[in-house]
Amino acid sequence: MKANVPANAAIGLVATLTLILIAVFIVSTASPTPAAMAREEMLTVPSSHSVTVVGEGTVSIEPDIATASIGVEVVRPTVKEASAAAQSIMENVQAALLSQNIDETDIQTRHFSIFAERFGPGGMLEEDEVRYRVSNTVFITIQDLGSIGDVLDAAIDAGANNIYGVDFSLADPGAVESEARAKAVADAIDKAEDLAELIGVRVGAVMGISEIIGQGGGFFGGNFSRMAAAEMGGGSGPISPGELNLTMQLQITYELR
């Protein structure tokens, strides 16, 4: 019996150590140490703040092309008559445009429609009466701005009775857009620095940038003419290209330090 005492004591010691290790493990997993808590908190706190601004850059330029919509509209008692009359007049209009050095590739049919009308100048037509209205419109590009008045006058003389907005723009706005973007970036950093100064921080690196897309990558505005309509037999009147403003907008996010 005495020979078993050391063995029993060893077994008891091992059991006691095992219980102690289990208790330590439970305590350590249930209650993180301050160092572990601090490390976890550092990982969840954002490393930086940011500010997002919209920068705008505008460049004034002289346009080098013009566009216009020129149309023919006729009303006849039958579809065949209306369609034939509109086609004949439009052929004359296109011939007049070609005679004014408008390239054939710069003339594009934009709209064609046939509409049955049951109303006349005096009001509702009789049940067996129908008038047919045919509209045919072409979209043209005028490369020579000095010829705009002559081109429109020639179209009107040939029978065009609808001329919609004459707009001015650039054939290749790429270089001007780049200049406007550079100004937009400068405007954005100025705005970001103003905001950062107000809250006592500094502007850091760019975190994101996107272009606010308008017409053709930007948008034109400024002193450019629009002609709403010209009646058959009338002149186009004076049309001045004036000056355009091309504006680009960029949304930029900066890091704040």
Side-chain angles (χ1 to χ4, degrees), residues 64-68 102 106 140-145 147-148 151-152:
D64 56 18
I65 62 170
T67 58
I102 301 298
D106 288 331
I140 68 169
T141 300
I142 304 172
Q143 306 288 348
D144 179 9
L145 297 187
S147 67
I148 295 176
V151 169
L152 298 183

Side-chain angles (χ1 to χ4, degrees), residues 150-172:
D150 293 338
V151 169
L152 298 183
D153 284 342
I156 293 169
D157 291 340
N161 53 9
N162 279 322
I163 297 182
Y164 304 97
V166 177
D167 294 331
F168 296 93
S169 60
L170 296 178
D172 183 11

Side-chain angles (χ1 to χ4, degrees), residues 42-51 199 201-208 253-257:
M42 289 176 62
L43 292 175
T44 58
V45 173
S47 60
S48 65
H49 299 283
S50 64
V51 61
I199 59 175
V201 295
R202 293 182 296 107
V203 174
V206 173
M207 301 175 65
T253 299
Y254 296 93
E255 179 187 10
L256 293 180
R257 298 175 179 174

Side-chain angles (χ1 to χ4, degrees), residues 16-196:
T16 302
L17 290 175
T18 301
L19 291 174
I20 292 173
L21 289 174
I22 293 173
V24 169
F25 174 77
I26 293 173
V27 171
S28 62
T29 55
S31 303
T33 63
M37 293 176 63
R39 184 168 58 254
E40 181 179 354
E41 184 178 355
M42 289 176 62
L43 292 175
T44 58
V45 173
S47 60
S48 65
H49 299 283
S50 64
V51 61
T52 300
V53 295
V54 174
E56 183 173 287
T58 299
V59 179
S60 298
I61 36 67
E62 292 184 2
D64 56 18
I65 62 170
T67 58
S69 293
I70 298 177
V72 171
E73 189 171 81
V74 299
V75 179
R76 297 289 189 274
T78 67
V79 172
K80 186 175 181 179
E81 289 178 296
S83 179
Q87 180 179 348
S88 176
I89 298 173
M90 181 53 75
E91 288 176 353
N92 293 335
V93 169
Q94 293 195 22
L97 294 173
L98 293 173
S99 72
Q100 294 296 317
N101 297 320
I102 301 298
D103 194 276
E104 191 172 354
T105 59
D106 288 331
I107 303 175
Q108 178 186 35
T109 299
R110 181 60 61 91
H111 171 79
F112 181 86
S113 67
I114 300 176
F115 179 71
E117 290 187 339
R118 299 190 180 277
F119 288 87
M124 178 73 77
L125 299 175
E126 298 294 331
E127 290 186 4
D128 58 345
E129 288 186 271
V130 179
R131 304 191 324 159
Y132 293 91
R133 182 181 299 272
V134 174
S135 298
N136 191 351
T137 303
V138 294
F139 181 80
I140 68 169
T141 300
I142 304 172
Q143 306 288 348
D144 179 9
L145 297 187
S147 67
I148 295 176
D150 293 338
V151 169
L152 298 183
D153 284 342
I156 293 169
D157 291 340
N161 53 9
N162 279 322
I163 297 182
Y164 304 97
V166 177
D167 294 331
F168 296 93
S169 60
L170 296 178
D172 183 11
V176 179
E177 289 178 349
S178 295
E179 184 179 352
R181 288 190 187 98
K183 290 187 175 183
V185 170
D187 181 54
I189 187 63
D190 286 343
K191 290 178 179 177
E193 288 177 346
D194 286 344
L195 292 172

